[in-house]
Amino acid sequence: MYCISYSMMKIVILGSGGAVPSPARSLPSIGIRYFGEVYLFDCGEGTQRQMMIHGMSYSRVKMIFLTHLHADHFLGIAGLMQTLKMNERKEPLFIFGPAGTERCVSSILMGAYPFQICIKEIDENFSLKNEKFKISAFKTSHNVRSIGYVFQENDSRNFNKAKADRLGIKGSMFRKLEREGEIAIGKKKVKLEDVTKPKKGMKLVYSGDTLPCKEVLLASKGADLLIHDGTFSEQHREDAANKMHSTVSQAAELAKKARVKNLVLVHLSNRYKDAAMLEKEAKKIFKNSKVAFDGMEICV
Amino acid sequence: MYCISYSMMKIVILGSGGAVPSPARSLPSIGIRYFGEVYLFDCGEGTQRQMMIHGMSYSRVKMIFLTHLHADHFLGIAGLMQTLKMNERKEPLFIFGPAGTERCVSSILMGAYPFQICIKEIDENFSLKNEKFKISAFKTSHNVRSIGYVFQENDSRNFNKAKADRLGIKGSMFRKLEREGEIAIGKKKVKLEDVTKPKKGMKLVYSGDTLPCKEVLLASKGADLLIHDGTFSEQHREDAANKMHSTVSQAAELAKKARVKNLVLVHLSNRYKDAAMLEKEAKKIFKNSKVAFDGMEICV
């Protein structure tokens, strides 16, 4: 993984297990903190406590994106909402997920809430944009209706601090230059391009539970980070096919084909006690593979 | 605490927190393993994982007893049932709780189960007996309908191993003697009383969330172990009264009056980072007080 200190993004694997938790692995959830707001991707039982343990503020959760409606991926919403209610949250919270989300999530939200919970059922045509990023969905291949998500940061420009200093740019001048594209310093005009260089937005992809498939491959093209189902080892390829999950080798093959920069494997089955063995299997195919652990922090 | 090795009972505090979990404390649940079967008292979010972490078999759960229907005390049933379903459990599972339990628990049990889930709504008149123990309910004083539970082991007799050896009692003769009260060894008749001494059954009491009140006092009389609400420190007595919880001092006073042998304080508020301070406060009033921690194992 690589870490750039000025990034305002932090990704934490809150639960790296799947189906049934284990002492080492909580149920699926990934938290992305971006400019002070938190976006959760899946929210298995225990997610609120995992957030507390691994330093991701549960009160900052703005949106929750569900990949599918198996209970291990969404039961944690119930407890998290109770805690936010006790904290007297006022801001609305958005929950996105495939058809059926309204019924499933509503059944575990007991009582009234002092904040609005907006549940929106979406499909692979979903996308949501703001001035900083776009989140879009894509089709995946599991044994219930399922989708994955792309978090695509907008391209931007990075200031060259040394150059800006030399030109006497300081304080609010940075913001003005960003807004107006040009500022006057004495008699000299300075353009935004003079003191910045283009910065490509990060692309993060989360597959949820899925067989390797062309839609995931397509969505993952050139991603900085692909977080992919790695439930099984290659020796249990048949189990993976029957249960519509991936082996770590299959995930690594897909990562290689999609030319992603980094692959993180999640939803590990409890049958494997040795994560290093799984990582070795994936690395043979795609070098930048990592098996996730609870609390794994990824800075991009 | 005291630990007698031949006891077939193990009590584990699975969650020592309350309302909102913390990195250190999971939500309320107490597991009693008794002759290979597990009885859960409350089942907050994360209970199944706490059982895995602290060595109490989730597949052996036979009955769940809820003290009241605040979400922090029962949301863990949802995930536990999903896991038991995946394990293809066949045996029925019983859930007891106050009026409203049927509706609350059913709403979080998604889909069909390959085993019977029998939900029974009970009140303070409830009691359940088998050949080894009796579990009964008593009224408590919280801001919703609430009950506490007494687990009363039947009185029995303990074999004096040395004496039995001297008399030549071995193997299946022990069981025969227990069953028939008398056996013949050669020409000699040996009575059960000759090689055993009476053993008083253990009495365990769990208050759930409650103000200190006469019903809890009465139910706790002479208990070997009282597990009591200790949400607040005495300095927040007013908060305790408003929220219908107890301070650790109030719990200790009740334990002293009820002449229990041991007091364990649970449902600790997150505001107290120093459990030792709370324990000190309780010990001033009742020496055999302990503040619970997650995974605390009590052998009686």
Side-chain angles (χ1 to χ4, degrees):
Chain A
M1 298 293 99
Y2 53 104
C3 190
I4 303 173
S5 63
Y6 55 73
S7 171
M8 293 306 285
M9 184 188 287
K10 183 168 108 165
I11 305 160
V12 178
I13 307 294
L14 297 163
S16 60
V20 170
S22 72
R25 298 188 190 276
S26 191
L27 291 169
S29 186
I30 296 159
I32 298 185
R33 196 189 64 206
Y34 192 68
F35 284 92
E37 285 174 338
V38 171
Y39 304 87
L40 283 183
F41 291 81
D42 285 329
C43 186
E45 183 185 4
T47 295
Q48 61 165 331
R49 190 161 177 235
Q50 291 296 99
M51 297 182 84
M52 294 165 187
I53 292 171
H54 300 297
M56 181 150 285
S57 168
Y58 60 85
S59 63
R60 297 289 184 94
V61 174
K62 194 171 180 178
M63 297 177 184
I64 301 174
F65 296 88
L66 303 177
T67 56
H68 64 294
L69 296 165
H70 280 156
D72 56 322
H73 288 251
F74 75 88
L75 279 180
I77 290 176
L80 176 59
M81 294 303 115
Q82 291 290 328
T83 293
L84 293 176
K85 183 177 173 172
M86 263 180 276
N87 281 12
E88 297 179 4
R89 179 189 175 106
K90 294 281 174 287
E91 305 76 43
L93 190 142
F94 298 85
I95 301 174
F96 300 92
T101 298
E102 173 82 45
R103 186 182 53 78
C104 280
V105 172
S106 298
S107 74
I108 58 168
L109 295 177
M110 277 143 300
Y113 287 81
F115 58 98
Q116 212 188 340
I117 300 175
C118 310
I119 304 174
K120 292 194 189 294
E121 298 192 350
I122 59 170
D123 60 17
E124 59 271 23
N125 299 310
F126 167 81
S127 82
L128 174 153
K129 268 183 185 179
N130 67 15
E131 73 283 3
K132 293 204 179 72
F133 62 80
K134 178 178 160 187
I135 295 177
S136 54
F138 58 91
K139 218 174 154 188
T140 58
S141 183
H142 197 40
N143 51 17
V144 291
R145 203 175 277 132
S146 64
I147 47 179
Y149 292 97
V150 178
F151 184 103
Q152 173 67 64
E153 195 185 22
N154 294 347
D155 293 341
S156 60
R157 300 189 72 89
N158 265 354
F159 276 98
N160 180 330
K161 182 77 172 59
K163 210 166 176 184
D165 282 351
R166 275 204 306 279
L167 291 166
I169 302 169
K170 51 191 173 186
S172 63
M173 292 160 86
F174 284 104
R175 194 158 293 173
K176 197 180 176 200
L177 187 53
E178 268 189 306
R179 212 173 41 234
E180 298 174 11
E182 190 179 272
I183 52 168
I185 300 175
K187 284 179 186 164
K188 204 175 168 189
K189 284 198 171 171
V190 178
K191 288 189 174 168
L192 186 61
E193 300 88 83
D194 299 337
V195 285
T196 57
K197 54 180 180 184
K199 181 179 169 266
K200 197 143 176 60
M202 290 292 161
K203 179 179 177 179
L204 317 172
V205 180
Y206 172 46
S207 74
D209 294 6
T210 187
L211 284 170
C213 65
K214 65 175 193 301
E215 289 88 353
V216 181
L217 176 66
L218 205 68
S220 305
K221 287 275 180 206
D224 294 278
L225 173 66
L226 168 62
I227 302 173
H228 198 284
D229 179 331
T231 308
F232 293 99
S233 155
E234 192 57 16
Q235 62 181 305
H236 300 115
R237 196 177 181 127
E238 209 174 320
D239 284 357
N242 290 337
K243 293 178 174 173
M244 301 191 79
H245 283 290
S246 300
T247 69
V248 294
S249 292
Q250 288 172 326
E253 274 155 22
L254 188 143
K256 192 178 171 184
K257 271 190 206 156
R259 298 183 179 223
V260 309
K261 294 211 180 85
N262 295 284
L263 169 67
V264 168
L265 298 153
V266 291
H267 207 272
L268 284 307
S269 162
N270 283 340
R271 72 174 80 180
Y272 309 109
K273 302 304 168 213
D274 183 8
M277 182 270 289
L278 292 172
E279 196 164 290
K280 202 173 155 192
E281 179 184 322
K283 274 181 189 290
K284 266 189 200 164
I285 296 162
F286 182 70
K287 202 181 132 214
N288 287 347
S289 301
K290 288 263 184 206
V291 167
F293 53 86
D294 282 17
M296 181 187 208
E297 201 170 307
I298 310 160
C299 301
V300 285
Chain B
M1 299 293 99
Y2 53 102
C3 189
I4 303 171
S5 62
Y6 56 73
S7 171
M8 293 307 287
M9 184 189 287
K10 184 168 107 165
I11 305 159
V12 178
I13 307 295
L14 297 165
S16 61
V20 171
S22 72
R25 297 186 189 277
S26 192
L27 291 169
S29 185
I30 296 158
I32 298 185
R33 196 189 65 207
Y34 192 67
F35 284 92
E37 284 173 338
V38 171
Y39 304 87
L40 283 184
F41 292 81
D42 285 330
C43 186
E45 183 187 4
T47 294
Q48 61 165 333
R49 190 160 177 234
Q50 291 295 99
M51 297 182 85
M52 294 166 188
I53 292 171
H54 300 298
M56 182 151 285
S57 168
Y58 61 85
S59 62
R60 297 290 185 93
V61 174
K62 192 169 181 177
M63 297 177 184
I64 301 174
F65 297 89
L66 303 177
T67 56
H68 63 295
L69 295 166
H70 280 156
D72 57 321
H73 288 251
F74 75 88
L75 279 181
I77 291 175
L80 177 59
M81 293 304 116
Q82 291 290 329
T83 293
L84 294 176
K85 183 177 174 172
M86 262 179 279
N87 281 12
E88 297 180 3
R89 180 189 174 107
K90 294 282 174 287
E91 306 76 44
L93 191 143
F94 298 85
I95 301 174
F96 301 92
T101 299
E102 173 82 45
R103 187 182 52 79
C104 279
V105 173
S106 297
S107 74
I108 59 167
L109 294 177
M110 278 144 299
Y113 286 83
F115 58 97
Q116 211 187 343
I117 300 175
C118 311
I119 304 174
K120 292 194 188 296
E121 297 193 348
I122 59 169
D123 62 16
E124 60 271 24
N125 299 310
F126 167 82
S127 83
L128 174 154
K129 266 184 186 178
N130 66 17
E131 73 282 5
K132 293 201 178 75
F133 62 79
K134 178 180 160 185
I135 295 177
S136 54
F138 58 91
K139 218 176 155 185
T140 58
S141 184
H142 197 40
N143 51 16
V144 290
R145 202 173 280 131
S146 64
I147 48 179
Y149 292 96
V150 178
F151 183 105
Q152 174 68 65
E153 193 185 26
N154 293 347
D155 294 341
S156 60
R157 299 190 72 89
N158 265 354
F159 276 97
N160 180 328
K161 182 74 170 63
K163 210 166 176 183
D165 281 350
R166 275 202 307 278
L167 291 165
I169 301 170
K170 54 190 172 186
S172 62
M173 292 161 84
F174 284 103
R175 194 158 290 171
K176 195 177 176 199
L177 187 54
E178 269 189 306
R179 210 171 44 233
E180 298 174 12
E182 190 179 274
I183 52 167
I185 300 177
K187 282 178 186 165
K188 206 174 169 190
K189 284 199 169 170
V190 178
K191 287 188 175 168
L192 186 61
E193 301 86 86
D194 299 337
V195 284
T196 58
K197 53 182 181 181
K199 179 179 169 265
K200 201 145 174 55
M202 291 289 163
K203 180 179 176 178
L204 317 172
V205 180
Y206 172 46
S207 75
D209 293 6
T210 187
L211 284 169
C213 65
K214 65 175 192 303
E215 289 87 353
V216 180
L217 177 65
L218 205 67
S220 305
K221 287 276 180 204
D224 295 277
L225 173 66
L226 168 61
I227 301 173
H228 199 284
D229 180 330
T231 309
F232 293 100
S233 155
E234 193 57 15
Q235 62 182 305
H236 299 116
R237 195 179 182 122
E238 208 173 319
D239 284 356
N242 291 338
K243 293 179 173 172
M244 302 192 77
H245 282 291
S246 300
T247 69
V248 295
S249 292
Q250 288 172 325
E253 275 156 19
L254 188 143
K256 191 177 173 184
K257 271 190 206 155
R259 300 187 176 218
V260 307
K261 294 208 180 90
N262 296 284
L263 169 66
V264 168
L265 298 153
V266 291
H267 207 271
L268 286 305
S269 163
N270 284 341
R271 71 174 82 180
Y272 309 110
K273 303 302 169 212
D274 183 9
M277 181 271 288
L278 292 172
E279 195 164 290
K280 202 172 156 192
E281 179 183 321
K283 274 180 188 291
K284 266 189 200 163
I285 296 162
F286 182 71
K287 201 182 131 215
N288 287 346
S289 301
K290 289 265 184 204
V291 167
F293 53 87
D294 282 16
M296 181 186 206
E297 200 170 308
I298 310 159
C299 300
V300 287

